[in-house]
Amino acid sequence: MEILVCVKRVPDAAENEIVVGAGGADIKREDLVYSVNEWDNYAVEEAVQIVEREGGNVTIVSMGDSEAEEVVRREMAMGAAQGLLLTDAAFDGSDGLGIATILAAAARKGEYDLILTGALADDGAGQVGGMLAALLDWPYASVVNKIETKDGKSLRIGREIEGGTQEISDIETPCVLSIQTGINEPRYVGIRGIRKVASIEIPILDAGALGLDAAAVGAAGANVRRIDYFVPQLGASAEMLEGSIEELAGKLVDLLKAKGGIR
Amino acid sequence: MAGVLVFCELQDGTLKKGARECLSAAGSLASATGGEVSAFVAGSSAQAAAEQCGQYGVRRLFVAADNALDQYTTESYTAAMAEAVRQAAPSIVLIPGTSNGRDLAPRLAARLNVGVASDVTSLEWSDGRLVARRFVYSGKALATVAVTGSPAMATVRPNALPLSQPASGSAPEVVNISTSTDSTVKVVETKAPEAGEASLTESDIIVTGGRGLKEAANFSYIRDLAHAIGGAVGASRATVDAGWIDHQHQVGQTGRVVSPNLYIAAGVSGAIQHLAGMSSSKHIIAINKDPEAPIFRIADLGVVGDLFTILPALTDEVKKAKAHS
C-alpha cells in the first residue's frame, strides 16, 4: 500500500508560553520551541505499521519553509522511505481550504492508496483532512482510532463518536483518514534513526511545480483570515475552601445547587 | 444571499443541544444579514422536529427524510446539506461542533469552495463578514477570524453559546429535499458505551479523575459522584495512558475539548494539555492534595485535601440533597 502522511511543524504547547505581539497581529515566535504536531506521530506510526504488515511505502509530506524539513526527516526516521516538502512564499496565509488545495496537488503527483493526517493540529481546526478528501473526491473518515486492512479495495476502520460510541465502518480505498491519538504507540526516534534518513533527498515543490495558481492559495485565496490574537484573561486564582470534611462537603453541595448541579 | 442555515441533529426526535445552541444564536445573526433562520434535518424522524424548530425561530425547514440518512455518513450528508445550502442561499451556515458536525463541515466547505471557521466560541455579523473567536495553541490564545465567502461557514463549540428558551412560534415551511444517499463508507456496527455513561461533550457537568486516583479501581470514586449528580466521567491523559480508563473519557488537547457548566477535577494536576480541553468550562472546582497544582490557577473553587475522603463525603451529601429536592 502506498501511503501519504501529512505532517505539520507546530509550536510545542507544553514547552511554550504564548505571548501575543504588539497589536495582536501575531504571536511572538522568536523563542518558541517547535516540534511535530502530536497527532501526526500517531498517523505516521499507523502508516508504518500498515506497510510493515502489507508492504508498500510511506511518504511524509509537509507544507512549510525549510525549517519544516527537520520535522519531515524526524517522521521519516519512524520508517518512511520518502519525504516531500511543499514550500512557496505564495502559500503563506492559506486557510484550511488553501492548505488542502496544496496538499491535494501534491497527492495527485503520486499514486496513493491512503492518505493519513492527524485529527487536529495547533490551530485546533481539524478540517484539512476532510477538505483534502473532498478535493480529491475520495471517501473520508475523521477521528479514526482503528484501522484493519481487509482486502485490496477497502479498510475496516473504527471511529470514536459522541458519548463514547464506537462506530465501525468499511471504507473504500483510496481514502483519507484523520487519525486520533491513542490508536497506537508511536515509536521512539533516536539519533541513529535520524542518521539513517539523513542522506535521503527530500524534493521541494513550489506552486509552479504543483501546477497551482498562486492566487487560489495563500492569503490571496483565503476565506478565513485572522484579524488578531489575544491571550484570554485568567480570572483570579481559585477561592480555596477550608474546613472539616463535613464542612467541605456541605459547602461544595451548596455550590453545586447554585450552579445547577443538583436539580 | 441572506439569513442563516443551521445543520441540526436529532436525538429521539428532538433537537440535540448543539443544534439548539446554534439556533439560539441564529436569530440575531440572521437579522443582521437581513434574512431569516432556516434549518436542515435528516432521517426518517426529521419531520417530527418541525414544531420544535418553529419554537427556535426557524422559518424554513429543509427535510431530507430518506431513512438511509438515519445513519450519518460524510458523503450522503454533504450531498443533502449542499442542496439545502443551494436552495436557502444563506449568508451564514452554522454547524454544531459534534463528531458528525466536525466531520461534515470540511467536506461541505470544500464542495462549496468556501472556508470554515472551526470550533468557534462567539459569532457576529459585521461589515458583510462573519467574525468569530476561537481558541488556538492548546487554548493558550484566542484568535479573532473573519470568514468571507458565500456562505460563511462555522462550526460551533458545544456549550459555548447561550441557549435561549423555546418560544411559541409558528411551524416552519417544510421543504423536502432528495439527494443521492450513496456512500463509499458503510457503517457496519456502532457499539454504545456502557449504560448510564453520559456524553462528555454534551454534558452540563463533568467529574474528572487524574493520576491522584492512584489506580484504576479508584475511578469508582469519580463514577459514584458523576452518577449521583448526573454528570459524565472525564479522565486525564495520564490515567488513560496508564490504562485505567478508556480513551473516550479523555479530556484535553488530545482527547475531548469540553465546556460544561460545571467541571469537577479530582486528583488532576492540570498539565497544559488538560487545561486546553476544559479551561472554557463555566465553573471549575478542583480537589488536589498539592496546593501548588496548576489546576488551582484556573479553578474557581479549590480544595486542598485528600480526594479519597472528600469525594465520598460529597457524593453522600449530593444524594441527600437530591432526596430532599
Side-chain angles (χ1 to χ4, degrees):
Chain A
M1 195 176 272
E2 293 297 315
I3 308 177
L4 181 68
V5 188
C6 308
V7 306
K8 184 178 181 187
R9 177 177 180 266
V10 301
D12 186 334
E15 298 290 328
N16 296 299
E17 281 304 316
I18 300 290
V19 179
V20 175
D26 198 3
I27 58 170
K28 290 189 174 169
R29 295 180 185 270
E30 304 89 68
D31 299 324
L32 291 183
V33 177
Y34 282 81
S35 61
V36 66
N37 173 43
E38 187 175 0
W39 282 262
D40 301 345
N41 276 331
Y42 293 85
V44 173
E45 176 65 35
E46 197 62 22
V48 170
Q49 287 188 16
I50 292 170
V51 163
E52 284 172 351
R53 257 189 344 250
E54 322 265 330
N57 285 293
V58 179
T59 303
I60 307 292
V61 63
S62 188
M63 188 195 101
D65 54 20
S66 56
E67 286 174 318
E69 185 185 325
E70 188 189 329
V71 163
V72 171
R73 242 178 243 291
R74 189 214 170 271
E75 298 305 283
M76 287 170 66
M78 291 174 74
Q82 285 140 31
L84 270 180
L85 199 55
L86 314 178
T87 306
D88 197 312
F91 297 164
D92 291 353
S94 291
D95 63 3
L97 188 57
I99 295 167
T101 302
I102 295 160
L103 290 171
R108 287 192 191 100
K109 290 205 153 282
E111 293 200 357
Y112 302 103
D113 304 299
L114 178 62
I115 301 180
L116 303 182
T117 71
L120 216 59
D122 58 331
D123 186 46
Q127 56 179 231
V128 168
M131 290 172 165
L132 173 60
L135 295 172
L136 295 170
D137 203 19
W138 289 7
Y140 170 66
S142 56
V143 289
V144 170
N145 60 8
K146 192 175 172 58
I147 302 178
E148 284 171 25
T149 35
K150 277 185 69 190
D151 46 49
K153 295 188 209 74
S154 68
L155 303 170
R156 176 153 292 187
I157 55 163
R159 292 178 67 215
E160 179 191 306
I161 56 171
E162 240 72 55
T165 300
Q166 176 77 0
E167 182 182 276
I168 311 290
S169 313
D170 289 339
I171 186 166
E172 292 175 13
T173 54
C175 63
V176 179
L177 305 176
S178 88
I179 302 298
Q180 177 62 300
T181 57
I183 186 173
N184 53 39
E185 279 198 31
R187 67 195 66 193
Y188 173 76
V189 174
I191 290 289
R192 187 178 299 181
I194 297 200
R195 276 205 200 112
K196 252 169 82 178
V197 296
S199 60
I200 300 176
E201 194 191 336
I202 298 176
I204 299 173
L205 305 179
D206 63 8
L210 290 167
L212 286 168
D213 173 7
V217 295
N223 267 319
V224 181
R225 292 188 180 84
R226 195 173 46 248
I227 300 173
D228 61 9
Y229 282 114
F230 57 99
V231 173
Q233 289 295 317
L234 285 182
S237 291
E239 176 198 337
M240 303 307 277
L241 284 187
E242 286 172 6
S244 68
I245 293 298
E246 292 72 26
E247 286 165 351
L248 287 172
K251 286 178 187 172
L252 287 172
V253 163
D254 289 343
L255 185 96
L256 292 183
K257 284 180 184 160
K259 298 295 167 193
I262 294 174
R263 285 166 291 231
Chain B
M1 287 249 151
V4 179
L5 174 65
V6 177
F7 172 74
C8 294
E9 287 175 280
L10 302 178
Q11 189 162 32
D12 307 324
T14 62
L15 293 169
K16 286 179 88 169
K17 192 172 176 218
R20 287 183 279 128
E21 286 168 353
C22 286
L23 289 174
S24 298
S28 59
L29 284 171
S31 306
T33 67
E36 294 179 336
V37 177
S38 48
F40 168 88
V41 283
S44 48
S45 61
Q47 196 83 38
E51 188 185 340
Q52 197 187 7
C53 284
Q55 292 169 352
Y56 280 91
V58 174
R59 306 303 295 273
R60 283 178 94 193
L61 180 64
F62 293 89
V63 170
D66 196 317
N67 56 17
L69 298 173
D70 288 347
Q71 173 67 56
Y72 171 87
T73 69
T74 318
E75 290 153 278
S76 61
Y77 269 62
T78 300
M81 187 64 185
E83 176 59 19
V85 171
R86 194 185 67 78
Q87 292 195 31
S91 297
I92 301 170
V93 172
L94 295 184
I95 298 180
T98 58
S99 298
N100 290 342
R102 295 177 64 126
D103 187 272
L104 170 72
R107 197 171 188 101
L108 179 64
R111 174 76 65 88
L112 300 171
N113 195 28
V114 297
V116 51
S118 292
D119 208 25
V120 308
T121 55
S122 76
L123 291 158
E124 64 176 324
W125 184 254
S126 166
D127 298 330
R129 18 171 239 181
L130 184 66
V131 176
R133 285 204 168 147
R134 47 190 310 277
F135 282 97
V136 293
Y137 300 116
S138 311
K140 285 186 167 181
L142 274 160
T144 314
V145 295
V147 192
T148 49
S150 321
M153 282 182 62
T155 60
V156 178
R157 178 177 285 197
N159 287 325
L161 301 182
L163 203 52
S164 58
Q165 291 302 314
S168 57
S170 50
E173 172 201 350
V174 171
V175 182
N176 286 296
I177 54 179
S178 175
T179 48
S180 164
T181 56
D182 290 351
S183 175
T184 46
V185 183
K186 302 260 186 285
V187 176
V188 292
E189 189 184 0
T190 52
K191 291 182 203 163
E194 305 152 47
E197 293 278 356
S199 157
L200 259 191
T201 39
E202 295 200 342
S203 262
D204 267 348
I205 306 172
I206 295 172
V207 185
T208 290
R211 213 189 323 235
L213 288 172
K214 296 201 172 74
E215 60 180 43
N218 290 336
F219 253 100
S220 60
Y221 287 86
I222 301 295
R223 287 201 182 91
D224 289 348
L225 178 58
H227 290 169
I229 56 181
V233 172
S236 73
R237 177 170 182 168
T239 64
V240 173
D241 285 351
W244 297 354
I245 189 163
D246 280 355
H247 182 267
Q248 71 198 39
H249 293 280
Q250 186 176 321
V251 172
Q253 189 190 2
T254 56
R256 296 284 172 180
V257 173
V258 299
S259 48
N261 286 323
L262 185 62
Y263 189 89
I264 303 173
V268 177
S269 65
I272 180 64
Q273 291 89 342
H274 188 76
L275 303 185
M278 46 66 75
S279 60
S280 59
S281 304
K282 308 286 183 301
H283 204 86
I284 299 167
I285 299 175
I287 301 167
N288 201 295
K289 67 179 189 324
D290 175 11
E292 302 298 319
I295 191 83
F296 287 126
R297 277 188 254 141
I298 66 149
D300 299 288
L301 202 65
V303 178
V304 177
D306 178 16
L307 68 92
F308 297 112
T309 55
I310 295 167
L311 288 184
L314 178 56
T315 303
D316 281 348
E317 287 295 324
V318 167
K319 285 179 181 164
K320 278 189 219 158
K322 282 219 158 176
H324 288 141
S325 65

